[in-house]
Amino acid sequence: MSTPAAFAFFDFDDTLARGDSILPYLMYCIRRGAAPRRQVFKAAWGFLAWKLNPAHASASKETSLSFIRGRTVDEMDDLARDFFREVQQKRFFRKGVQELEQLRAQGVIPVIVSASADVYMRVLPEFLPVEAVLCTTCEVREGRYTGRIGENCKGDEKPQRISAWLAQQGLTIDRARSSGYGDSPSDAPMLLMTGSPNLVNPKRKLKQRIPMHNMEN
């Protein structure tokens, strides 16, 4: 039998940290010599393909992150830790970090649910007080990345990923005691799983769907 619990589901980019994280990560990898300079052009092409057809988001990420193919998980984890220490940690919103800390102190379970790739997001619990990170997965075989990327963790995919994770944990959402935090209209399906949706630096279309609980960083 599943146990009800209080959760706080957070988007990451522009909710807990300033801007999109994939470009800073890519530029950091290039500076470290982990990715070739031409990767910038591949990423630009991937971004354009995604803009022309948002349904191709996973393929666009594969193009942008193609340099991870053949790299070991341990190698990329070490690089991700350095990226957060040297770059991304400075982009965290102070109010967002404080909110996480307060929620955790109150017994709420904070979970990040993000479209960002797990090749770097998987180490995030070492830098923020969160229980889990559910995000776009990069395929691994025999300890190495294949370069294949799974379903983009965005929109309706977020509630599906949350539900699958909850089933694995033997937990259910106590909706009245749970909250969600996001900035984009694609976060709405996740926010509406909770009794307290919070809009962080919200885009206009999100405010139209959920016109309440605005929170600026």
PDB file of all heavy atoms in Angstrom, residues 29-59:
ATOM      1  N   CYS A  29      32.218  22.546 -21.058  1.00  0.00           N
ATOM      2  CA  CYS A  29      32.861  21.345 -21.594  1.00  0.00           C
ATOM      3  C   CYS A  29      33.871  21.693 -22.681  1.00  0.00           C
ATOM      4  O   CYS A  29      34.938  21.071 -22.779  1.00  0.00           O
ATOM      5  CB  CYS A  29      31.800  20.383 -22.128  1.00  0.00           C
ATOM      6  SG  CYS A  29      30.792  19.612 -20.834  1.00  0.00           S
ATOM      7  N   ILE A  30      33.553  22.678 -23.494  1.00  0.00           N
ATOM      8  CA  ILE A  30      34.482  23.116 -24.537  1.00  0.00           C
ATOM      9  C   ILE A  30      35.731  23.722 -23.902  1.00  0.00           C
ATOM     10  O   ILE A  30      36.865  23.407 -24.293  1.00  0.00           O
ATOM     11  CB  ILE A  30      33.801  24.119 -25.486  1.00  0.00           C
ATOM     12  CG1 ILE A  30      32.733  23.406 -26.325  1.00  0.00           C
ATOM     13  CG2 ILE A  30      34.834  24.796 -26.394  1.00  0.00           C
ATOM     14  CD1 ILE A  30      31.868  24.329 -27.137  1.00  0.00           C
ATOM     15  N   ARG A  31      35.546  24.580 -22.889  1.00  0.00           N
ATOM     16  CA  ARG A  31      36.700  25.193 -22.210  1.00  0.00           C
ATOM     17  C   ARG A  31      37.587  24.144 -21.556  1.00  0.00           C
ATOM     18  O   ARG A  31      38.810  24.292 -21.521  1.00  0.00           O
ATOM     19  CB  ARG A  31      36.223  26.202 -21.156  1.00  0.00           C
ATOM     20  CG  ARG A  31      35.611  27.455 -21.718  1.00  0.00           C
ATOM     21  CD  ARG A  31      35.580  28.577 -20.683  1.00  0.00           C
ATOM     22  NE  ARG A  31      34.846  28.225 -19.490  1.00  0.00           N
ATOM     23  CZ  ARG A  31      33.537  28.385 -19.353  1.00  0.00           C
ATOM     24  NH1 ARG A  31      32.816  28.867 -20.362  1.00  0.00           N
ATOM     25  NH2 ARG A  31      32.925  28.061 -18.218  1.00  0.00           N
ATOM     26  N   ARG A  32      36.958  23.080 -21.068  1.00  0.00           N
ATOM     27  CA  ARG A  32      37.724  22.025 -20.408  1.00  0.00           C
ATOM     28  C   ARG A  32      38.343  21.035 -21.399  1.00  0.00           C
ATOM     29  O   ARG A  32      39.069  20.120 -20.999  1.00  0.00           O
ATOM     30  CB  ARG A  32      36.813  21.281 -19.431  1.00  0.00           C
ATOM     31  CG  ARG A  32      36.493  22.052 -18.157  1.00  0.00           C
ATOM     32  CD  ARG A  32      37.676  22.046 -17.196  1.00  0.00           C
ATOM     33  NE  ARG A  32      38.039  20.694 -16.808  1.00  0.00           N
ATOM     34  CZ  ARG A  32      37.555  20.044 -15.757  1.00  0.00           C
ATOM     35  NH1 ARG A  32      36.684  20.654 -14.955  1.00  0.00           N
ATOM     36  NH2 ARG A  32      37.925  18.809 -15.483  1.00  0.00           N
ATOM     37  N   GLY A  33      38.031  21.192 -22.673  1.00  0.00           N
ATOM     38  CA  GLY A  33      38.552  20.282 -23.681  1.00  0.00           C
ATOM     39  C   GLY A  33      37.790  18.976 -23.775  1.00  0.00           C
ATOM     40  O   GLY A  33      38.233  18.046 -24.453  1.00  0.00           O
ATOM     41  N   ALA A  34      36.625  18.908 -23.126  1.00  0.00           N
ATOM     42  CA  ALA A  34      35.820  17.695 -23.163  1.00  0.00           C
ATOM     43  C   ALA A  34      34.929  17.635 -24.401  1.00  0.00           C
ATOM     44  O   ALA A  34      34.409  16.568 -24.748  1.00  0.00           O
ATOM     45  CB  ALA A  34      34.955  17.600 -21.912  1.00  0.00           C
ATOM     46  N   ALA A  35      34.732  18.771 -25.047  1.00  0.00           N
ATOM     47  CA  ALA A  35      33.924  18.850 -26.270  1.00  0.00           C
ATOM     48  C   ALA A  35      34.675  19.719 -27.279  1.00  0.00           C
ATOM     49  O   ALA A  35      35.344  20.681 -26.884  1.00  0.00           O
ATOM     50  CB  ALA A  35      32.554  19.448 -25.982  1.00  0.00           C
ATOM     51  N   PRO A  36      34.587  19.396 -28.570  1.00  0.00           N
ATOM     52  CA  PRO A  36      35.262  20.209 -29.588  1.00  0.00           C
ATOM     53  C   PRO A  36      34.538  21.547 -29.792  1.00  0.00           C
ATOM     54  O   PRO A  36      33.343  21.664 -29.516  1.00  0.00           O
ATOM     55  CB  PRO A  36      35.167  19.346 -30.842  1.00  0.00           C
ATOM     56  CG  PRO A  36      33.941  18.514 -30.632  1.00  0.00           C
ATOM     57  CD  PRO A  36      33.870  18.248 -29.156  1.00  0.00           C
ATOM     58  N   ARG A  37      35.260  22.536 -30.268  1.00  0.00           N
ATOM     59  CA  ARG A  37      34.653  23.850 -30.494  1.00  0.00           C
ATOM     60  C   ARG A  37      33.506  23.792 -31.489  1.00  0.00           C
ATOM     61  O   ARG A  37      32.552  24.565 -31.413  1.00  0.00           O
ATOM     62  CB  ARG A  37      35.719  24.846 -30.979  1.00  0.00           C
ATOM     63  CG  ARG A  37      36.753  25.182 -29.909  1.00  0.00           C
ATOM     64  CD  ARG A  37      37.713  26.260 -30.402  1.00  0.00           C
ATOM     65  NE  ARG A  37      38.710  26.569 -29.382  1.00  0.00           N
ATOM     66  CZ  ARG A  37      38.518  27.398 -28.369  1.00  0.00           C
ATOM     67  NH1 ARG A  37      37.353  28.010 -28.234  1.00  0.00           N
ATOM     68  NH2 ARG A  37      39.471  27.612 -27.480  1.00  0.00           N
ATOM     69  N   ARG A  38      33.600  22.878 -32.447  1.00  0.00           N
ATOM     70  CA  ARG A  38      32.536  22.773 -33.452  1.00  0.00           C
ATOM     71  C   ARG A  38      31.203  22.334 -32.840  1.00  0.00           C
ATOM     72  O   ARG A  38      30.157  22.413 -33.501  1.00  0.00           O
ATOM     73  CB  ARG A  38      32.938  21.802 -34.560  1.00  0.00           C
ATOM     74  CG  ARG A  38      33.082  20.358 -34.112  1.00  0.00           C
ATOM     75  CD  ARG A  38      33.420  19.446 -35.286  1.00  0.00           C
ATOM     76  NE  ARG A  38      33.578  18.060 -34.873  1.00  0.00           N
ATOM     77  CZ  ARG A  38      34.712  17.543 -34.427  1.00  0.00           C
ATOM     78  NH1 ARG A  38      35.805  18.314 -34.345  1.00  0.00           N
ATOM     79  NH2 ARG A  38      34.799  16.272 -34.056  1.00  0.00           N
ATOM     80  N   GLN A  39      31.238  21.893 -31.571  1.00  0.00           N
ATOM     81  CA  GLN A  39      30.009  21.476 -30.916  1.00  0.00           C
ATOM     82  C   GLN A  39      29.028  22.636 -30.794  1.00  0.00           C
ATOM     83  O   GLN A  39      27.819  22.433 -30.755  1.00  0.00           O
ATOM     84  CB  GLN A  39      30.326  20.901 -29.536  1.00  0.00           C
ATOM     85  CG  GLN A  39      29.220  20.036 -28.958  1.00  0.00           C
ATOM     86  CD  GLN A  39      29.057  18.708 -29.698  1.00  0.00           C
ATOM     87  OE1 GLN A  39      30.034  18.131 -30.170  1.00  0.00           O
ATOM     88  NE2 GLN A  39      27.824  18.229 -29.797  1.00  0.00           N
ATOM     89  N   VAL A  40      29.548  23.864 -30.759  1.00  0.00           N
ATOM     90  CA  VAL A  40      28.687  25.045 -30.694  1.00  0.00           C
ATOM     91  C   VAL A  40      27.786  25.103 -31.922  1.00  0.00           C
ATOM     92  O   VAL A  40      26.587  25.410 -31.823  1.00  0.00           O
ATOM     93  CB  VAL A  40      29.514  26.334 -30.576  1.00  0.00           C
ATOM     94  CG1 VAL A  40      28.623  27.561 -30.709  1.00  0.00           C
ATOM     95  CG2 VAL A  40      30.263  26.370 -29.254  1.00  0.00           C
ATOM     96  N   PHE A  41      28.358  24.794 -33.083  1.00  0.00           N
ATOM     97  CA  PHE A  41      27.577  24.847 -34.324  1.00  0.00           C
ATOM     98  C   PHE A  41      26.552  23.708 -34.361  1.00  0.00           C
ATOM     99  O   PHE A  41      25.425  23.893 -34.838  1.00  0.00           O
ATOM    100  CB  PHE A  41      28.509  24.781 -35.530  1.00  0.00           C
ATOM    101  CG  PHE A  41      29.488  25.911 -35.574  1.00  0.00           C
ATOM    102  CD1 PHE A  41      30.806  25.719 -35.191  1.00  0.00           C
ATOM    103  CD2 PHE A  41      29.092  27.188 -35.959  1.00  0.00           C
ATOM    104  CE1 PHE A  41      31.712  26.775 -35.206  1.00  0.00           C
ATOM    105  CE2 PHE A  41      29.985  28.244 -35.976  1.00  0.00           C
ATOM    106  CZ  PHE A  41      31.295  28.037 -35.597  1.00  0.00           C
ATOM    107  N   LYS A  42      26.934  22.541 -33.833  1.00  0.00           N
ATOM    108  CA  LYS A  42      25.981  21.436 -33.753  1.00  0.00           C
ATOM    109  C   LYS A  42      24.818  21.811 -32.833  1.00  0.00           C
ATOM    110  O   LYS A  42      23.653  21.534 -33.135  1.00  0.00           O
ATOM    111  CB  LYS A  42      26.669  20.178 -33.226  1.00  0.00           C
ATOM    112  CG  LYS A  42      27.624  19.524 -34.200  1.00  0.00           C
ATOM    113  CD  LYS A  42      28.129  18.199 -33.637  1.00  0.00           C
ATOM    114  CE  LYS A  42      29.009  17.488 -34.630  1.00  0.00           C
ATOM    115  NZ  LYS A  42      29.457  16.166 -34.121  1.00  0.00           N
ATOM    116  N   ALA A  43      25.141  22.455 -31.717  1.00  0.00           N
ATOM    117  CA  ALA A  43      24.102  22.867 -30.776  1.00  0.00           C
ATOM    118  C   ALA A  43      23.179  23.900 -31.398  1.00  0.00           C
ATOM    119  O   ALA A  43      21.959  23.871 -31.191  1.00  0.00           O
ATOM    120  CB  ALA A  43      24.741  23.413 -29.501  1.00  0.00           C
ATOM    121  N   ALA A  44      23.758  24.833 -32.163  1.00  0.00           N
ATOM    122  CA  ALA A  44      22.945  25.857 -32.819  1.00  0.00           C
ATOM    123  C   ALA A  44      21.993  25.208 -33.825  1.00  0.00           C
ATOM    124  O   ALA A  44      20.816  25.596 -33.931  1.00  0.00           O
ATOM    125  CB  ALA A  44      23.843  26.876 -33.518  1.00  0.00           C
ATOM    126  N   TRP A  45      22.497  24.200 -34.547  1.00  0.00           N
ATOM    127  CA  TRP A  45      21.660  23.485 -35.506  1.00  0.00           C
ATOM    128  C   TRP A  45      20.549  22.723 -34.763  1.00  0.00           C
ATOM    129  O   TRP A  45      19.388  22.720 -35.184  1.00  0.00           O
ATOM    130  CB  TRP A  45      22.497  22.524 -36.323  1.00  0.00           C
ATOM    131  CG  TRP A  45      21.688  21.666 -37.245  1.00  0.00           C
ATOM    132  CD1 TRP A  45      21.419  20.344 -37.106  1.00  0.00           C
ATOM    133  CD2 TRP A  45      21.008  22.087 -38.439  1.00  0.00           C
ATOM    134  NE1 TRP A  45      20.620  19.907 -38.137  1.00  0.00           N
ATOM    135  CE2 TRP A  45      20.363  20.948 -38.965  1.00  0.00           C
ATOM    136  CE3 TRP A  45      20.904  23.312 -39.104  1.00  0.00           C
ATOM    137  CZ2 TRP A  45      19.608  21.009 -40.132  1.00  0.00           C
ATOM    138  CZ3 TRP A  45      20.138  23.367 -40.270  1.00  0.00           C
ATOM    139  CH2 TRP A  45      19.511  22.223 -40.778  1.00  0.00           C
ATOM    140  N   GLY A  46      20.900  22.093 -33.635  1.00  0.00           N
ATOM    141  CA  GLY A  46      19.902  21.381 -32.843  1.00  0.00           C
ATOM    142  C   GLY A  46      18.834  22.311 -32.314  1.00  0.00           C
ATOM    143  O   GLY A  46      17.644  21.977 -32.313  1.00  0.00           O
ATOM    144  N   PHE A  47      19.249  23.497 -31.863  1.00  0.00           N
ATOM    145  CA  PHE A  47      18.298  24.484 -31.344  1.00  0.00           C
ATOM    146  C   PHE A  47      17.338  24.930 -32.454  1.00  0.00           C
ATOM    147  O   PHE A  47      16.126  25.039 -32.228  1.00  0.00           O
ATOM    148  CB  PHE A  47      19.052  25.681 -30.780  1.00  0.00           C
ATOM    149  CG  PHE A  47      18.164  26.782 -30.281  1.00  0.00           C
ATOM    150  CD1 PHE A  47      17.536  26.672 -29.047  1.00  0.00           C
ATOM    151  CD2 PHE A  47      17.950  27.927 -31.037  1.00  0.00           C
ATOM    152  CE1 PHE A  47      16.699  27.689 -28.579  1.00  0.00           C
ATOM    153  CE2 PHE A  47      17.122  28.948 -30.573  1.00  0.00           C
ATOM    154  CZ  PHE A  47      16.486  28.821 -29.348  1.00  0.00           C
ATOM    155  N   LEU A  48      17.885  25.185 -33.644  1.00  0.00           N
ATOM    156  CA  LEU A  48      17.046  25.598 -34.766  1.00  0.00           C
ATOM    157  C   LEU A  48      16.040  24.506 -35.132  1.00  0.00           C
ATOM    158  O   LEU A  48      14.857  24.789 -35.376  1.00  0.00           O
ATOM    159  CB  LEU A  48      17.922  25.936 -35.969  1.00  0.00           C
ATOM    160  CG  LEU A  48      17.182  26.346 -37.256  1.00  0.00           C
ATOM    161  CD1 LEU A  48      16.348  27.598 -37.019  1.00  0.00           C
ATOM    162  CD2 LEU A  48      18.177  26.579 -38.395  1.00  0.00           C
ATOM    163  N   ALA A  49      16.501  23.254 -35.143  1.00  0.00           N
ATOM    164  CA  ALA A  49      15.608  22.139 -35.463  1.00  0.00           C
ATOM    165  C   ALA A  49      14.487  22.027 -34.446  1.00  0.00           C
ATOM    166  O   ALA A  49      13.329  21.762 -34.791  1.00  0.00           O
ATOM    167  CB  ALA A  49      16.413  20.836 -35.511  1.00  0.00           C
ATOM    168  N   TRP A  50      14.817  22.268 -33.166  1.00  0.00           N
ATOM    169  CA  TRP A  50      13.794  22.217 -32.112  1.00  0.00           C
ATOM    170  C   TRP A  50      12.790  23.349 -32.278  1.00  0.00           C
ATOM    171  O   TRP A  50      11.590  23.149 -32.110  1.00  0.00           O
ATOM    172  CB  TRP A  50      14.478  22.296 -30.748  1.00  0.00           C
ATOM    173  CG  TRP A  50      13.519  22.523 -29.625  1.00  0.00           C
ATOM    174  CD1 TRP A  50      12.593  21.642 -29.124  1.00  0.00           C
ATOM    175  CD2 TRP A  50      13.379  23.726 -28.856  1.00  0.00           C
ATOM    176  NE1 TRP A  50      11.886  22.226 -28.098  1.00  0.00           N
ATOM    177  CE2 TRP A  50      12.351  23.499 -27.906  1.00  0.00           C
ATOM    178  CE3 TRP A  50      14.029  24.951 -28.866  1.00  0.00           C
ATOM    179  CZ2 TRP A  50      11.952  24.470 -26.992  1.00  0.00           C
ATOM    180  CZ3 TRP A  50      13.641  25.921 -27.946  1.00  0.00           C
ATOM    181  CH2 TRP A  50      12.611  25.674 -27.036  1.00  0.00           C
ATOM    182  N   LYS A  51      13.267  24.557 -32.617  1.00  0.00           N
ATOM    183  CA  LYS A  51      12.369  25.688 -32.818  1.00  0.00           C
ATOM    184  C   LYS A  51      11.409  25.437 -33.977  1.00  0.00           C
ATOM    185  O   LYS A  51      10.230  25.806 -33.917  1.00  0.00           O
ATOM    186  CB  LYS A  51      13.181  26.966 -33.071  1.00  0.00           C
ATOM    187  CG  LYS A  51      13.717  27.632 -31.816  1.00  0.00           C
ATOM    188  CD  LYS A  51      12.587  28.153 -30.948  1.00  0.00           C
ATOM    189  CE  LYS A  51      13.064  28.972 -29.778  1.00  0.00           C
ATOM    190  NZ  LYS A  51      11.938  29.432 -28.934  1.00  0.00           N
ATOM    191  N   LEU A  52      11.918  24.810 -35.022  1.00  0.00           N
ATOM    192  CA  LEU A  52      11.079  24.531 -36.182  1.00  0.00           C
ATOM    193  C   LEU A  52      10.077  23.426 -35.902  1.00  0.00           C
ATOM    194  O   LEU A  52       8.972  23.420 -36.452  1.00  0.00           O
ATOM    195  CB  LEU A  52      11.961  24.147 -37.374  1.00  0.00           C
ATOM    196  CG  LEU A  52      12.825  25.271 -37.954  1.00  0.00           C
ATOM    197  CD1 LEU A  52      13.777  24.730 -39.007  1.00  0.00           C
ATOM    198  CD2 LEU A  52      11.957  26.381 -38.542  1.00  0.00           C
ATOM    199  N   ASN A  53      10.465  22.486 -35.026  1.00  0.00           N
ATOM    200  CA  ASN A  53       9.568  21.381 -34.690  1.00  0.00           C
ATOM    201  C   ASN A  53       9.838  20.926 -33.258  1.00  0.00           C
ATOM    202  O   ASN A  53      10.703  20.091 -33.015  1.00  0.00           O
ATOM    203  CB  ASN A  53       9.768  20.209 -35.658  1.00  0.00           C
ATOM    204  CG  ASN A  53       8.689  19.143 -35.475  1.00  0.00           C
ATOM    205  OD1 ASN A  53       7.997  19.102 -34.461  1.00  0.00           O
ATOM    206  ND2 ASN A  53       8.549  18.275 -36.465  1.00  0.00           N
ATOM    207  N   PRO A  54       9.096  21.479 -32.274  1.00  0.00           N
ATOM    208  CA  PRO A  54       9.315  21.143 -30.865  1.00  0.00           C
ATOM    209  C   PRO A  54       9.185  19.658 -30.556  1.00  0.00           C
ATOM    210  O   PRO A  54       9.710  19.197 -29.543  1.00  0.00           O
ATOM    211  CB  PRO A  54       8.227  21.947 -30.141  1.00  0.00           C
ATOM    212  CG  PRO A  54       7.934  23.096 -31.060  1.00  0.00           C
ATOM    213  CD  PRO A  54       8.090  22.543 -32.449  1.00  0.00           C
ATOM    214  N   ALA A  55       8.529  18.906 -31.421  1.00  0.00           N
ATOM    215  CA  ALA A  55       8.388  17.465 -31.201  1.00  0.00           C
ATOM    216  C   ALA A  55       9.730  16.748 -31.312  1.00  0.00           C
ATOM    217  O   ALA A  55       9.873  15.603 -30.887  1.00  0.00           O
ATOM    218  CB  ALA A  55       7.394  16.865 -32.192  1.00  0.00           C
ATOM    219  N   HIS A  56      10.716  17.428 -31.903  1.00  0.00           N
ATOM    220  CA  HIS A  56      12.038  16.821 -32.098  1.00  0.00           C
ATOM    221  C   HIS A  56      13.019  17.236 -30.990  1.00  0.00           C
ATOM    222  O   HIS A  56      14.220  17.265 -31.221  1.00  0.00           O
ATOM    223  CB  HIS A  56      12.607  17.216 -33.459  1.00  0.00           C
ATOM    224  CG  HIS A  56      11.845  16.632 -34.608  1.00  0.00           C
ATOM    225  ND1 HIS A  56      11.996  17.062 -35.916  1.00  0.00           N
ATOM    226  CD2 HIS A  56      10.906  15.652 -34.647  1.00  0.00           C
ATOM    227  CE1 HIS A  56      11.194  16.368 -36.700  1.00  0.00           C
ATOM    228  NE2 HIS A  56      10.525  15.507 -35.955  1.00  0.00           N
ATOM    229  N   ALA A  57      12.502  17.530 -29.809  1.00  0.00           N
ATOM    230  CA  ALA A  57      13.356  18.023 -28.725  1.00  0.00           C
ATOM    231  C   ALA A  57      14.447  17.030 -28.351  1.00  0.00           C
ATOM    232  O   ALA A  57      15.604  17.408 -28.136  1.00  0.00           O
ATOM    233  CB  ALA A  57      12.507  18.359 -27.500  1.00  0.00           C
ATOM    234  N   SER A  58      14.106  15.747 -28.266  1.00  0.00           N
ATOM    235  CA  SER A  58      15.114  14.748 -27.882  1.00  0.00           C
ATOM    236  C   SER A  58      16.210  14.644 -28.933  1.00  0.00           C
ATOM    237  O   SER A  58      17.407  14.562 -28.601  1.00  0.00           O
ATOM    238  CB  SER A  58      14.455  13.384 -27.669  1.00  0.00           C
ATOM    239  OG  SER A  58      13.580  13.424 -26.557  1.00  0.00           O
ATOM    240  N   ALA A  59      15.815  14.657 -30.216  1.00  0.00           N
ATOM    241  CA  ALA A  59      16.802  14.600 -31.294  1.00  0.00           C
ATOM    242  C   ALA A  59      17.702  15.833 -31.268  1.00  0.00           C
ATOM    243  O   ALA A  59      18.910  15.745 -31.527  1.00  0.00           O
ATOM    244  CB  ALA A  59      16.100  14.481 -32.642  1.00  0.00           C
TER     245      ALA A  59
END
